[in-house]
Amino acid sequence: MSVSYEQSRLYALRHSAAHLMAQSILQLFPDAKLTIGPPIENGFYYDVDFGEQKLTEADLERIEAKMRENAERDLPIVREEVSRQDAVARIERMHQTPYKVELLNDIPEGETITFYSQGEFSDLCRGPHVESTGKISHFKLLNIAGAYWRGDVKNRMLTRVYGTAFETQEELERYLHNLEEAKKRDHRTLGRELGLFMFSPIVGQGLPLWLPNGALLRETLSEFLKDEQMKRGYSPVVTPNIGNIALYEKSGHIITFKEKMFPFMVDEDGDTHILKPMNCPFHIEIYRSELRSYRELPVRLAEFGTVYRYEQSGELAGMLRVRGFTQDDAHLFVRPDQLLDEFMGVVDLTIFVCRKLGLNDYRVRIGTKDPNDQKYVGSDENWALAENAIVSACQTMNLDYELSPGDAAFYGPKLDLMLRDALGRTWQMGTVQVDYSLPERFDLEYVGEDGQKHRPIMIHRAPFGSLERMIGLLTEHYAGAFPFWLAPVQIAILPIADRHTDYAAKVRDAFWKRDRKLRIKIDESSERLGKKIVMNQKLKIPFMLIVGDKDVENGTVSVRSREEGDLGPKPLEAFIASVLG
Ligand SMILES: [Zn+2]
Ligand SMILES: [Zn+2]
């Protein structure tokens, strides 16, 4: 088991960097009011109320320079426990009312109240921190955004200042370089340039339109997973896009998921329907449609199911967060004695999928129950069984994992694959969840070997998560240069003149004789060759085959590889063999 980010030295360092920034802000802007300043995935931020003042890029530089001064002072960072009364007095002395007082009031009676101080600066804070400001050497302030106090639009808009910090200069520079690179790889820009997908305001926010190249990519991914699932004993099912509200009342989603649902539809018979936010209850009805014997289990029902969720418009982000998307969903109904094996099977499939996609850098996070939270359903006994099954699955499979208490779904623990992409960014993909709750709610059963009725356990899983999110990720990971098997167009044939188009067709047919599914296009546009090459290069097609008089005469193709550049003329059959193996 490895140390989670929240327990790491880096996390404490970034938290201390947030305090260093807050201290420097108060030195430069004595009237500023601090609110909260946590570490986040790749850095930290602090939300500050600057009153009427608007922060500029130049201010960021001044704050950063001040931070360097304070870091050089190497001030010890001191933890102190204080009484509630003293805490209020301190906050007043620092002129940090009212936000900090509100935060103080959130701390339950009886819990220890701590302040962390450095020099003249002191902040209500749970910690932990590094020993002194001198430990914070490799940092950079990044940008400014708006954020509402407590995330509530009814509250005052604050200024959120983002920064990052690392343990070494090298890591910081790599991160900053990757940030620049990420802008170039933005999947929204590449999606348009490569003809993958687009959004149109009249269609609606967060509702992607798949263009031909994107639809091909989507189909290639789906076919790959469907084939694999067939090999692994899944059964395909198809369910509708809307469903009666009664289904979601029974599943409990109407309570737990209501704010993510689109407004309800009432028809002329007075029935209320819901645009499907998740596939699970439909698959449950299919399981329930017949009496199941222990011999039939596990039942694995799979569907590329399109769901709709009402995400806040401010949270929509290209393909990474949309309102309509297709999950590579499946639900496994298993006997208790099958849980461990089935869980391992699902994790194995998820990892297999990631490797095939070239996403080889991943770690496993197990979301367990927070023992102090009351939101979870189901018995403690079942929770312990499920958590143990997930942990033993990881141990048996030799996976390095970290436990993340409080990250479970309300109905059961889960495992997430945390993928790192080519730019070192972490993506939460491939969730697998164990569920004792829905089988209970729907009174699911199977007849056991003993002739008695027993309750199956459900596993929810989606290796891609959604096609939209996965293709957004892959577009950025590969900067649009997809591997040969995934590329929407795999080979472009460029005849130099009209008299070479017949030969171009022969070249294409020679490939198709080997594999009729290869995605090959002949560029018959009337552009000059130079222009054709540039245009096809922009589409990041793995191979361009240029054919002219010499090629017709010698039975060759002049190959330009996306990775290796101009490879010159190659005998056609030999080239086909080298590509297809
Ligand atoms: Zn703090
Ligand atoms: Zn589900």
Side-chain angles (χ1 to χ4, degrees):
M1 205 174 104
S2 55
V3 175
S4 74
Y5 174 48
E6 287 74 14
Q7 296 164 317
S8 68
R9 167 100 184 158
L10 182 60
Y11 192 79
L13 181 78
R14 286 173 174 168
H15 193 166
S16 301
H19 278 219
L20 183 65
M21 178 170 81
Q23 177 181 25
S24 309
I25 285 174
L26 289 186
Q27 289 165 349
L28 293 168
F29 305 90
D31 295 331
K33 303 282 185 205
L34 303 174
T35 68
I36 56 158
I40 50 173
E41 196 193 323
N42 288 307
F44 60 87
Y45 68 79
Y46 219 115
D47 282 350
V48 185
D49 185 348
F50 283 96
E52 294 312 303
Q53 190 149 10
K54 251 187 113 43
L55 216 58
T56 63
E57 288 291 321
D59 291 327
L60 274 195
E61 280 170 35
R62 282 171 59 213
I63 298 167
E64 200 180 296
K66 199 45 123 183
M67 285 171 74
R68 299 215 182 273
E69 274 174 37
N70 287 317
E72 261 158 45
R73 287 163 73 195
D74 198 16
L75 302 163
I77 302 176
V78 185
R79 176 180 185 274
E80 290 164 282
E81 293 185 11
V82 301
S83 71
R84 197 166 283 268
Q85 229 175 354
D86 286 350
V88 176
R90 263 177 198 250
I91 291 169
E92 282 172 357
R93 212 168 359 167
M94 293 283 299
H95 307 291
Q96 290 301 323
T97 53
Y99 301 107
K100 289 289 177 186
V101 175
E102 271 194 50
L103 293 171
L104 176 67
N105 291 340
D106 286 349
I107 302 176
E109 212 55 60
E111 213 164 276
T112 314
I113 297 166
T114 52
F115 273 74
Y116 279 81
S117 308
Q118 55 204 51
E120 78 297 343
F121 175 79
S122 184
D123 200 0
L124 172 70
C125 176
R126 211 176 288 141
H129 284 279
V130 295
E131 302 75 24
S132 68
T133 59
K135 302 279 184 234
I136 315 158
S137 328
H138 314 292
F139 59 87
K140 175 111 190 99
L141 296 191
L142 298 172
N143 58 300
I144 309 164
Y148 294 102
W149 168 233
R150 293 185 182 276
D152 188 336
V153 290
K154 292 196 266 330
N155 288 340
R156 190 173 166 76
M157 171 77 96
L158 307 168
T159 303
R160 176 168 295 181
V161 187
Y162 283 102
T164 193
F166 284 88
E167 288 176 82
T168 65
Q169 188 62 22
E170 203 188 343
E171 286 168 308
L172 173 65
E173 276 165 21
R174 194 187 318 136
Y175 178 71
L176 295 175
H177 165 81
N178 284 347
L179 270 188
E180 282 306 304
E181 187 61 21
K183 276 184 208 152
K184 284 187 231 155
R185 293 177 179 219
D186 189 315
H187 71 279
R188 287 163 291 194
T189 317
L190 282 173
R192 253 341 250 276
E193 284 171 13
L194 302 176
L196 302 178
F197 43 75
M198 58 171 278
F199 291 88
S200 157
I202 198 167
V203 171
Q205 289 189 69
L207 300 170
L209 298 174
W210 289 86
L211 304 173
N213 282 342
L216 278 171
L217 191 53
R218 197 182 146 109
E219 270 171 38
T220 307
L221 275 179
S222 317
E223 286 310 313
F224 152 66
L225 186 56
K226 280 181 190 168
D227 277 359
E228 196 55 38
Q229 287 180 164
M230 285 301 271
K231 288 183 206 153
R232 293 176 185 235
Y234 284 77
S235 310
V237 292
V238 178
T239 66
N241 282 318
I242 65 172
N244 196 292
I245 192 168
L247 185 63
Y248 294 96
E249 282 164 353
K250 198 162 182 190
S251 70
H253 286 122
I254 204 77
I255 299 159
T256 54
F257 214 72
K258 188 160 184 221
E259 74 240 41
K260 285 277 169 86
M261 292 182 182
F262 271 87
F264 303 163
M265 296 168 271
V266 183
D267 65 20
E268 286 182 358
D269 300 326
D271 286 332
T272 302
H273 285 85
I274 293 175
L275 206 46
K276 174 161 82 176
M278 41 183 61
N279 304 301
C280 341
F282 292 85
H283 294 181
I284 289 173
E285 280 306 294
I286 293 173
Y287 176 88
R288 260 161 53 90
S289 63
E290 48 187 296
L291 183 63
R292 308 282 179 171
S293 140
Y294 70 96
R295 291 170 196 279
E296 280 175 74
L297 267 51
V299 171
R300 309 181 187 92
L301 303 179
E303 173 178 24
F304 278 76
T306 301
V307 296
Y308 297 89
R309 295 185 186 169
Y310 188 78
E311 302 288 352
Q312 302 278 329
S313 55
E315 286 176 8
L316 298 172
M319 295 300 249
L320 304 184
R321 185 160 294 190
V322 288
R323 285 180 173 168
F325 56 95
T326 302
Q327 293 180 305
D328 54 327
D329 212 356
H331 295 95
L332 289 77
F333 301 85
V334 310
R335 302 191 310 252
D337 63 289
Q338 294 171 324
L339 180 61
L340 182 59
D341 277 347
E342 284 304 306
F343 194 85
M344 287 199 287
V346 167
V347 173
D348 181 70
L349 172 63
T350 308
I351 289 174
F352 174 82
V353 166
C354 287
R355 293 225 169 110
K356 174 77 180 178
L357 295 173
L359 302 165
N360 293 309
D361 188 355
Y362 53 80
R363 60 198 166 84
V364 171
R365 190 179 68 186
I366 302 176
T368 57
K369 174 169 163 173
D370 173 356
N372 301 316
D373 198 328
Q374 299 303 314
K375 74 171 176 181
Y376 305 98
V377 298
S379 70
D380 287 345
E381 192 197 343
N382 281 345
W383 272 87
L385 281 173
E387 290 184 5
N388 288 339
I390 297 181
V391 170
S392 10
C394 290
Q395 284 167 347
T396 312
M397 297 177 80
N398 261 325
L399 294 171
D400 194 23
Y401 63 92
E402 63 183 47
L403 293 178
S404 186
D407 257 338
F410 71 92
Y411 52 77
K414 63 172 183 159
L415 177 151
D416 290 310
L417 222 52
M418 310 299 284
L419 292 173
R420 270 162 64 93
D421 72 4
L423 300 183
R425 296 171 300 178
T426 304
W427 304 69
Q428 180 192 321
M429 309 299 284
T431 297
V432 187
Q433 295 174 336
V434 178
D435 182 0
Y436 287 88
S437 163
L438 284 175
E440 201 78 44
R441 293 193 80 105
F442 281 86
D443 199 20
L444 299 187
E445 291 175 337
Y446 65 89
V447 178
E449 209 171 353
D450 55 4
Q452 304 292 312
K453 300 249 169 94
H454 297 270
R455 183 88 70 222
I457 306 162
M458 267 177 85
I459 300 174
H460 308 243
R461 47 110 276 186
F464 296 153
S466 78
L467 284 167
E468 284 71 11
R469 203 171 134 79
M470 182 49 91
I471 288 174
L473 184 168
L474 289 173
T475 305
E476 298 199 0
H477 178 69
Y478 286 112
F482 298 104
F484 183 78
W485 76 276
L486 262 182
V489 178
Q490 297 169 297
I491 296 168
I493 306 173
L494 281 57
I496 293 177
D498 283 348
R499 64 181 180 280
H500 307 123
T501 44
D502 282 351
Y503 181 68
K506 266 188 208 151
V507 170
R508 179 196 59 201
D509 293 345
F511 273 98
W512 277 355
K513 215 188 272 167
R514 285 285 302 275
D515 182 355
R516 187 58 186 81
K517 281 187 172 168
L518 286 170
R519 299 177 293 275
I520 304 173
K521 84 165 187 195
I522 299 177
D523 186 342
E524 290 183 271
S525 64
S526 54
E527 301 290 351
R528 286 179 304 106
L529 180 66
K531 182 102 188 268
K532 277 191 196 182
I533 291 176
V534 170
M535 284 168 66
N536 282 289
Q537 244 159 7
K538 277 197 183 136
L539 295 173
K540 310 199 182 204
I541 297 166
F543 294 107
M544 266 188 261
L545 307 180
I546 297 151
V547 294
D549 289 335
K550 281 229 172 79
D551 296 297
V552 175
E553 197 177 308
N554 302 330
T556 58
V557 287
S558 297
V559 181
R560 288 181 82 98
S561 143
R562 185 181 61 197
E563 272 76 37
E564 294 165 86
D566 192 349
L567 300 180
K570 302 269 176 205
L572 178 59
E573 287 305 325
F575 179 69
I576 292 177
S578 76
V579 172
L580 302 182

